[in-house]
């Protein structure tokens, strides 16, 4: 484990923490940056395992609210509905991700061009969704037409059917470059959520999703990881935790004021530059 590898792991950890909870695809950024840096992790596990740092950051930030939900579970139907909704949203990606794990890691993760195209297309979609009002996109499933007054401002009170729909949208993020947070945020926005609520539900859904991905990937690669690999993961984990802690504390206020357009443009710029780099240098 040389100094250069440690510095690369630290840089990738910072990028993970900065991008994990933004709709820009942290995995896409890690794969592209790792490709051009010449950083090759065993079984592409580094890019998945350092996400645990970001998970712990959001758990720390939301510790009070999560503790409150846990304490209210025996007596509060709203608390039980929230937990059930997050679990239902988590299941589609968990099942499909486990089924296609080999294809995702050996094919999609090895294609920088695919990542770049996904970043650009996702940026265009995010830009479009950011410019429409939730009432333009949403029609209640049990209504005859659009209801202008329908809007979900509380991420902890999304109806179960909406949680499932957002969870199905999350499956698109199995393609690196699409963005887990981006796909769930777009789905929630189209279903009538406010920008802040859409981002916050994406945060909550990240906890079981990323924890599951971490555990499954670690299990699948337990026989091939070396002490050096785990050392690099630890460095990336710490850097991801620190940077994610800062991002989570401020990103919701930024989104409430500025929307998602800045992230859409960033995606398209990174995707275009990356695609040019892939075509020129391979």
């Amino acid at each position: 484990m040389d100094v250069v590898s440690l510095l690369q792991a630290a840089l990738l950890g910072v990028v993970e923490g900065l991008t994990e909870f933004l709709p820009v695809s942290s995995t896409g950024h890690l794969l592209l940056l790792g490709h051009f840096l010449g950083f090759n992790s065993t079984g592409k596990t580094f890019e998945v395992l350092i996400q645990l740092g970001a998970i712990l950051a959001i758990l720390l930030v939301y510790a009070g609210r999560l503790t409150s939900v846990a304490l209210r579970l025996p007596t509060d139907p709203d608390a039980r509905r929230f937990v059930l909704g997050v679990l239902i949203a988590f299941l589609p990606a968990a099942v499909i991700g486990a089924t296609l794990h080999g294809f995702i890691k050996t094919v999609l993760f090895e294609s920088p061009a695919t990542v770049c195209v996904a970043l650009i297309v996702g940026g265009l979609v995010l830009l479009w969704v950011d410019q429409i009002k939730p009432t333009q996109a949403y029609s209640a499933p049990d209504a005859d037409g659009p209801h202008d007054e329908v809007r979900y401002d509380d991420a902890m009170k999304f109806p179960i059917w909406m949680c499932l729909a957002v969870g199905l949208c999350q499956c698109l993020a199995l393609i690196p470059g699409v963005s887990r947070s981006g796909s769930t945020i777009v789905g929630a926005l189209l279903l009538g959520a406010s920008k802040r609520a859409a981002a916050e539900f994406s945060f909550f859904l990240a906890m079981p999703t990323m924890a599951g991905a971490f555990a499954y990937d670690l299990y699948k690669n337990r026989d091939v990881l070396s002490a050096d690999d785990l050392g690099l993961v630890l460095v990336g984990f710490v850097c991801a935790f620190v940077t994610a802690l800062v991002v989570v504390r401020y990103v919701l206020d930024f989104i409430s004021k500025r929307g998602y357009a800045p992230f859409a443009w960033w995606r398209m710029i990174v995707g275009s530059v990356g695609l040019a780099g892939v075509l020129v240098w391979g």
Side-chain angles (χ1 to χ4, degrees), residues 38 66 189 193 242 244 260:
L66 293 174
L189 288 174
V242 174
Y260 293 104

Side-chain angles (χ1 to χ4, degrees), residues 153-206:
D153 288 317
D154 189 343
M156 301 185 78
K157 294 183 179 180
F158 284 2
I160 296 298
W161 68 264
M162 184 173 175
C163 295
L164 176 59
V166 173
L168 292 172
C169 291
Q170 182 173 237
C171 295
L172 295 173
L174 295 172
I175 302 172
V178 170
S179 173
R180 186 206 60 78
S181 58
S183 59
T184 54
I185 285 170
V186 166
L189 288 174
L190 290 176
L191 292 170
S194 66
K195 292 175 180 178
R196 187 184 184 93
E200 197 163 44
F201 186 80
S202 179
F203 288 179
F204 290 129
L205 182 54

Side-chain angles (χ1 to χ4, degrees), residues 120-140:
I120 295 170
V121 173
L124 291 171
V125 172
L126 192 61
L127 190 63
W128 168 67
V129 172
D130 189 61
Q131 293 175 345
I132 66 175
K133 297 178 180 179
T135 52
Q136 290 179 274
Y138 176 76
S139 179

